[in-house]
Amino acid sequence: MSDARTAKRIAKFVKPLRVKPGSSVDLAEDFDPRYKAGLKKRQGAELLRSGVSLLSEYQSRLAAQDTYGVLLCLQALDAGGKDGTIRHVMSGVNPQGVTVSGFKVPSAEELDHDFLWRYARRLPARGDIGIFNRSHYEEVLVVRVHPENLDRQKLPAEAKGHGVWHRRYREINDWERYLTDNGIKVVKVFLNLSKEEQRTRFLKRIDLPEKNWKFSAADIRERERWDDYQEAFSEMLSATSTPWAPWYVVPADRKWFARICAAAVLAHTLIGIDPQYPTVDDDARKELLAAKRRLEREAPRGAARDPYAAEHRAG
Ligand code: AMP
Ligand code: MG
């Protein structure tokens, strides 16, 4: 398929997942965790394979151009599939160009800084793809659902008072705009899991010994706050999906479909950047040709002067 057709197809695929900036989201109403765009699992495997190889090519160009970076933020409720998504979507890319950062309960040092500090320290460099496994959005999710987290943040009284969440939304939007303006593109994926599918995955984590480590009693306590989280997610999606850093709500009840969506969102972002391999100017080309002639003169008796030339002519 031609590049333009592929780009168009991906754009069409991700469009229904994007949260329209300025819209008011009600997760339960607006996004179905079981949606699969009419695809079958078998078609999905083929799609993911081509998505992964597309990502690999774009990442190579992104790194060579060394002008833009990409930050992919992944958010989900427990058992939403963040780890597996990262593993599968990034399976084809050069590990040198990718950084994955996970964010857990903040350390004492982190609590001694402004709330975006620890995320800013993990931003991708130009040419890199950075993945946040959980992200600065925890600051308006878990911190909101459990306000004792806010108390621990050692903020001055005026910074935790009335309006703190709306202030944080604005600060996050401003920060992401600043990053975008400076060549770090931000894209955000929320893996949208149903309560029933979470129950099933928890049971599996309890039943299978090799999955036990993934489960903790805290997960059940968090599940009890399901409705509060849904509300916090809905508000966050409404307030922070912006033209420069949009949210995508990815249906997560089928892991294979969620992975295709995440790959497509990342591919769509890279296609938007359209990174190019640097080309050399006339002087540099002359130098290349002079170097080539010297190397050709060095060819040992009987060896081809330029073994690649025939290959190149053959295409
Ligand atoms: P996991 O990703 O399952 O290893 O769990 C990490 C835990 O860290 C989750 O329970 C998150 O809710 C928690 N966490 C992540 N970021 C924050 C934050 N900024 N404040 C408080 N807890 C957090
Ligand atoms: Mg966990």
Side-chain angles (χ1 to χ4, degrees):
M1 201 183 289
S2 77
D3 288 357
R5 272 188 64 200
T6 305
K8 225 167 146 182
R9 194 163 158 225
I10 292 174
K12 200 170 150 201
F13 184 82
V14 300
K15 193 167 176 224
L17 313 177
R18 186 163 48 232
V19 176
K20 237 175 108 194
S23 65
S24 175
V25 176
D26 177 348
L27 258 188
E29 284 276 310
D30 302 337
F31 294 97
D32 175 10
R34 295 189 62 74
Y35 171 79
K36 57 180 177 119
L39 286 176
K40 297 223 166 58
K41 192 171 176 178
R42 185 140 21 112
Q43 299 166 293
E46 178 52 39
L47 261 180
L48 185 61
R49 256 197 305 281
S50 54
V52 164
S53 77
L54 190 78
L55 286 178
S56 164
E57 190 212 312
Y58 270 94
Q59 183 215 16
S60 162
R61 280 161 49 181
L62 186 80
Q65 179 175 293
D66 203 20
T67 303
Y68 295 97
V70 174
L71 172 64
L72 172 65
C73 300
L74 270 183
Q75 285 292 153
L77 281 166
D78 291 311
K82 297 190 303 302
D83 297 342
T85 299
I86 295 170
R87 197 167 62 242
H88 282 83
V89 172
M90 304 316 282
S91 61
V93 304
N94 179 353
Q96 248 192 150
V98 183
T99 54
V100 182
S101 308
F103 296 97
K104 301 190 184 268
V105 177
S107 69
E109 188 194 17
E110 289 168 344
L111 290 173
D112 232 0
H113 289 268
D114 63 276
F115 82 94
L116 289 174
W117 181 77
R118 66 171 182 160
Y119 310 99
R121 301 214 308 160
R122 300 278 174 223
L123 287 170
R126 300 188 193 287
D128 282 357
I129 298 174
I131 299 180
F132 280 1
N133 183 346
R134 299 188 191 270
S135 68
H136 48 296
Y137 283 98
E138 291 296 341
E139 304 293 335
V140 292
L141 293 168
V142 67
V143 179
R144 184 172 191 176
V145 173
H146 300 283
E148 58 274 22
N149 287 307
L150 193 63
D151 293 333
R152 267 186 227 118
Q153 290 191 350
K154 301 173 73 177
L155 292 158
E158 62 273 22
K160 18 182 163 181
H162 181 72
V164 56
W165 309 117
H166 281 91
R167 200 159 53 242
R168 285 196 169 190
Y169 293 147
R170 177 176 52 76
E171 287 158 352
I172 288 172
N173 287 342
D174 287 348
W175 187 57
E176 291 175 354
R177 180 154 204 167
Y178 157 82
L179 294 173
T180 308
D181 286 349
N182 283 275
I184 308 301
K185 301 278 177 199
V186 184
V187 66
K188 294 135 26 182
V189 165
F190 169 55
L191 298 173
N192 185 30
L193 188 72
S194 71
K195 197 172 183 187
E196 175 53 17
E197 180 63 20
Q198 189 193 53
R199 189 179 74 91
T200 308
R201 292 187 190 173
F202 277 173
L203 282 172
K204 202 165 172 186
R205 288 180 176 188
I206 294 167
D207 286 339
L208 301 178
E210 71 275 20
K211 289 203 182 252
N212 285 172
W213 65 275
K214 278 202 156 196
F215 187 79
S216 80
D219 292 344
I220 286 291
R221 286 200 296 278
E222 289 300 89
R223 180 175 165 83
E224 282 167 8
R225 306 294 300 274
W226 182 272
D227 292 340
D228 298 328
Y229 272 108
Q230 295 293 301
E231 214 180 301
F233 273 116
S234 298
E235 265 208 39
M236 172 207 82
L237 293 166
S238 311
T240 61
S241 195
T242 54
W244 55 91
W247 270 107
Y248 290 85
V249 177
V250 163
D253 275 14
R254 295 177 172 89
K255 289 178 178 175
W256 62 267
F257 188 68
R259 287 160 191 172
I260 295 170
C261 292
V265 166
L266 190 54
H268 182 65
T269 308
L270 287 162
I271 289 168
I273 296 173
D274 194 24
Q276 304 293 329
Y277 289 112
T279 50
V280 295
D281 61 19
D282 286 350
D283 286 347
R285 180 158 307 282
K286 274 185 202 137
E287 277 178 31
L288 287 178
L289 283 173
K292 181 178 158 95
R293 277 192 295 273
R294 281 180 64 158
L295 289 166
E296 283 175 341
R297 280 198 298 273
E298 279 180 30
R301 218 173 241 288
R305 284 164 66 85
D306 179 354
Y308 290 109
E311 223 175 81
H312 284 154
R313 270 196 302 278

